[in-house]
Amino acid sequence: MKSIVVLISGRGSNMTAIAQALRDERWPARIACVVADRPGAAGLARAREQGIDTDVVDFRAFDSRAGFEAALASAIDRHAPDLVVLAGFLRILGDAFVDRYAHRMLNIHPSLLPAFPGLHTHRRALEAGVAVHGATVHLVGRELDMGPIVAQAALAVRPDDDEDRLAARVLALEHRLYPAAVRWFVEGRLALQDARVVLSEPRPGETRCLWGG
Ligand code: GAR
């Protein structure tokens, strides 16, 4: 049984999608704790509703990033997780923290990386006039929103898309993409070859590239 700690800052819809898939598909894993960086994160209540333990390490209580990250690491390590899942965790992480969880920390980002790291990805994608947009799950590296790509979900941008419509369609894809990628990790089917991710023993229909509408 693998142990997962999920870090959130907000509504936690990706965390919920992962928790549901884990239950429905009976993965050999459990979410040991959902940890938020602020007490007002709406996802905390959603986790509790599903019977998942929660914890808060409030970033406002610390005057340095190092202090916050040390407290966060001890809240995580208490559960000795095999995997740390960043699910809308909106803090920039220092090198020591990233290195501590090297090869066992995943993130989801709402763009087709390496395009549009950082904030306001949907607005920037529309402004750039891209025809294809989406989301990426990756192993967390030292550079913001970067690291070996595990899987990507893509969709065609529609002429009448605005930021909200595009965000909603990408989010629906995220809810399919992230559980699949976490499941592969839990099943031990992800490996790094030359700093690139390889999925072993793909089953029929399983692909690192998901297409949506
Ligand atoms: C998601 O769209 C996720 O991709 C994004 O935050 C949202 C969290 O939603 N993450 C980032 O922008 C990371 N750079 P959720 O709390 O409902 O899962």
Side-chain angles (χ1 to χ4, degrees):
M1 192 59 119
K2 296 266 167 63
S3 164
I4 302 171
V5 169
V6 184
L7 306 188
I8 63 167
S9 297
R11 72 197 149 180
S13 70
N14 277 290
M15 175 275 297
T16 303
I18 292 165
Q20 267 164 9
L22 184 153
R23 245 193 343 261
D24 294 350
E25 299 168 11
R26 296 163 189 262
W27 305 353
R30 62 185 286 269
I31 298 181
C33 194
V34 170
V35 183
D37 65 346
R38 59 200 78 192
L44 288 168
R46 299 179 76 166
R48 281 188 225 110
E49 280 161 21
Q50 299 173 84
I52 301 170
D53 283 349
T54 61
D55 200 354
V56 175
V57 181
D58 190 347
F59 70 94
R60 283 163 299 202
F62 299 87
D63 46 23
S64 73
R65 184 162 83 183
F68 166 71
E69 289 183 353
L72 183 61
S74 72
I76 294 169
D77 293 350
R78 201 168 295 148
H79 305 282
D82 301 284
L83 173 65
V84 176
V85 169
L86 307 184
F89 187 70
L90 302 178
R91 306 233 72 75
I92 293 175
L93 298 169
D95 290 351
F97 188 89
V98 169
D99 292 351
R100 185 183 190 98
Y101 302 105
H103 308 303
R104 57 183 178 116
M105 183 156 64
L106 292 174
N107 181 43
I108 190 160
H109 182 73
S111 76
L112 291 174
L113 292 172
F116 312 122
L119 297 172
H120 310 303
T121 54
H122 308 302
R123 187 190 314 163
R124 287 158 60 210
L126 289 170
E127 281 166 4
V130 297
V132 181
H133 184 49
T136 303
V137 174
H138 63 95
L139 283 161
V140 176
R142 285 182 168 196
E143 226 182 307
L144 176 68
D145 293 327
M146 291 292 166
I149 289 171
V150 174
Q152 293 188 298
L155 49 70
V157 177
R158 295 176 185 161
D160 63 343
D161 266 335
D162 62 16
E163 195 177 342
D164 289 346
R165 274 196 287 268
L166 190 55
R169 280 177 26 251
V170 171
L171 188 66
L173 274 184
E174 291 183 43
H175 296 163
R176 292 165 55 199
L177 183 73
Y178 213 0
V182 172
R183 181 178 178 163
W184 295 337
F185 187 99
V186 161
E187 292 174 342
R189 292 201 289 142
L190 297 177
L192 272 182
Q193 260 172 30
D194 301 328
R196 278 176 296 198
V197 173
V198 179
L199 170 66
S200 60
E201 299 164 38
R203 295 171 189 147
E206 252 183 7
T207 157
R208 294 174 56 225
C209 168
L210 180 70
W211 287 96

